[in-house]
C-alpha cells in the first residue's frame, strides 16, 4: 500500500465547476498535512496547510480526518488558472515528507 | 521575498561522473531537504538535514548520494557515480521549523545523465 494515495485523475472540468480531490495516508504517526500545487516542469508550491478543524482560503477548502487518515481539497468556481497537478503531502515528526502521486486538473473554457 | 535558489538549472553529465547540485536555502531556515522527480513521475523524498546532520533519508538515498552544508549558506547534493536512472529534476527545499510550516522549494536542477 502506498504511504500517500490520491485520486488517480485526471480531472477535466468546465470553468465554474466544483471539484474535490481526495487523499489517504497510511502512517498514523503523520503530523502535518499540506496541499501543494505543481505546474508543468515547475517546483511544487504550497496551496494550503490542512488542519483538523478544516480551513478555507477563498475558493479552496481543505479538510482533515485523522481517524480515517483522510485529507480532502475542494475547489469551488474553478478558473482556467487552477489547471495544475495537486499534490497531497504528509509529514512525519522526524522530518520526512511523503508526496502523493498527484492529481492533474484541467479546467476548460 | 526570500526564496530558495538552485544552481545549475540544467546539468548534463556522462554516466559514471560525479555531480554536485547546489542550493542556497532561505537564510533563517533550519531544515533542508532534497527531492527528485523523474519526468512524468511523482516527487520523491531523498533526504532531510538539520543541525549539520541527516535526520531522515529514503531508500533511494544510497551510498552514491551525500549531502553537505559546507558553509552557512550552501546546501549541496553530491552524486558520486551517476547512472542513467539518476536523470531527473532535483528540488531543494527549506523550512523554518520542523513541524508544520511550509517547505519552500527551489526551482530545481534538471540532471541529464548520458
Amino acid at each position: 500500500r502506498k504511504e500517500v494515495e490520491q485520486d488517480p485523475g485526471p480531472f477535466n472540468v468546465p470553468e465554474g465547476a466544483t471539484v474535490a480531490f481526495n487523499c489517504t495516508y497510511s502512517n498514523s504517526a503523520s503530523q502535518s498535512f499540506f496541499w501543494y500545487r505543481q505546474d508543468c516542469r515547475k517546483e511544487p508550491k504550497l496551496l494550503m496547510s490542512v488542519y483538523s478543524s478544516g480551513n478555507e482560503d477563498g475558493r479552496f477548502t481543505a479538510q482533515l480526518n485523522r481517524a480515517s487518515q483522510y485529507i480532502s481539497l475542494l475547489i469551488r468556481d474553478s478558473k482556467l488558472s487552477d489547471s495544475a497537478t495537486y499534490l497531497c503531502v504528509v509529514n512525519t515528526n522526524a522530518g520526512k515528507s511523503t508526496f502523493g502521486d498527484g492529481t492533474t486538473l484541467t479546467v476548460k473554457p | 521575498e526570500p526564496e530558495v535558489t538552485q544552481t545549475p538549472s540544467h546539468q548534463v553529465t556522462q554516466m559514471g561522473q560525479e555531480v554536485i547540485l547546489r542550493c542556497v536555502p532561505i537564510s533563517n531556515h533550519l531544515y533542508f531537504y532534497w527531492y527528485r522527480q523523474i519526468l512524468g513521475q511523482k516527487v520523491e523524498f531523498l533526504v532531510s538535514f538539520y543541525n549539520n546532520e541527516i535526520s531522515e533519508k529514503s531508500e533511494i538515498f544510497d551510498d552514491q548520494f551525500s549531502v553537505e552544508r559546507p558553509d552557512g549558506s550552501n546546501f549541496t547534493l553530491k552524486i558520486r557515480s551517476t547512472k542513467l536512472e539518476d536523470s531527473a529534476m532535483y528540488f531543494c527545499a527549506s523550512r523554518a521549523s520542523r513541524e508544520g510550516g511550509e517547505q519552500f522549494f527551489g526551482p530545481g536542477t534538471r540532471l541529464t545523465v548520458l
Side-chain angles (χ1 to χ4, degrees):
Chain A
R1 184 185 170 188
K2 291 181 182 178
E3 287 188 60
V4 177
E5 286 208 61
Q6 292 187 238
D7 288 332
F11 284 55
N12 296 297
V13 303
E15 270 187 291
T18 295
V19 60
F21 300 133
N22 302 308
C23 173
T24 57
Y25 60 95
S26 61
N27 185 349
S28 58
S30 299
Q31 293 292 321
S32 52
F33 311 89
F34 306 89
W35 284 101
Y36 277 75
R37 159 192 179 131
Q38 186 175 28
D39 293 290
C40 189
R41 296 183 181 268
K42 299 282 190 180
E43 72 273 24
K45 293 194 174 177
L46 181 72
L47 181 64
M48 45 197 314
S49 304
V50 189
Y51 305 115
S52 298
S53 53
N55 47 302
E56 189 173 309
D57 182 4
R59 299 181 292 108
F60 299 86
T61 301
Q63 297 276 353
L64 166 65
N65 184 322
R66 284 187 184 268
S68 305
Q69 295 181 195
Y70 167 84
I71 305 157
S72 66
L73 176 69
L74 185 76
I75 305 176
R76 288 180 298 278
D77 188 23
S78 50
K79 313 285 185 199
L80 296 177
S81 56
D82 294 333
S83 297
T85 297
Y86 290 83
L87 306 169
C88 176
V89 182
V90 175
N91 292 351
T92 65
N93 214 25
K96 180 182 173 185
S97 290
T98 304
F99 282 67
D101 288 353
T103 303
T104 298
L105 171 67
T106 302
V107 181
K108 299 186 175 179
Chain B
E1 185 178 323
E3 58 182 20
V4 177
T5 59
Q6 290 186 242
T7 54
S9 56
H10 190 189
Q11 172 96 43
V12 181
T13 191
Q14 296 290 324
M15 192 169 57
Q17 294 296 303
E18 174 183 287
V19 294
I20 297 177
L21 310 183
R22 301 180 194 281
C23 169
V24 179
I26 294 173
S27 63
N28 63 342
H29 284 190
L30 301 176
Y31 298 88
F32 314 111
Y33 306 84
W34 281 103
Y35 297 87
R36 80 171 185 193
Q37 187 174 31
I38 295 169
L39 187 64
Q41 297 187 25
K42 64 180 285 186
V43 175
E44 297 174 292
F45 169 81
L46 291 178
V47 66
S48 59
F49 192 86
Y50 168 71
N51 200 25
N52 282 320
E53 58 183 29
I54 290 172
S55 41
E56 277 280 328
K57 60 181 181 178
S58 71
E59 34 313 329
I60 302 168
F61 194 88
D62 60 23
D63 291 344
Q64 69 161 337
F65 291 93
S66 61
V67 289
E68 198 176 34
R69 190 155 159 80
D71 52 44
S73 58
N74 291 287
F75 179 51
T76 62
L77 174 70
K78 182 191 289 187
I79 309 176
R80 253 178 282 284
S81 177
T82 49
K83 306 184 185 78
L84 295 176
E85 55 264 36
D86 293 327
S87 295
M89 183 74 93
Y90 288 81
F91 293 109
C92 171
S94 70
R95 180 159 64 181
S97 64
R98 185 182 232 179
E99 293 98 29
E102 174 183 0
Q103 287 186 42
F104 290 80
F105 282 77
T109 293
R110 179 166 299 283
L111 176 65
T112 302
V113 182
L114 303 176

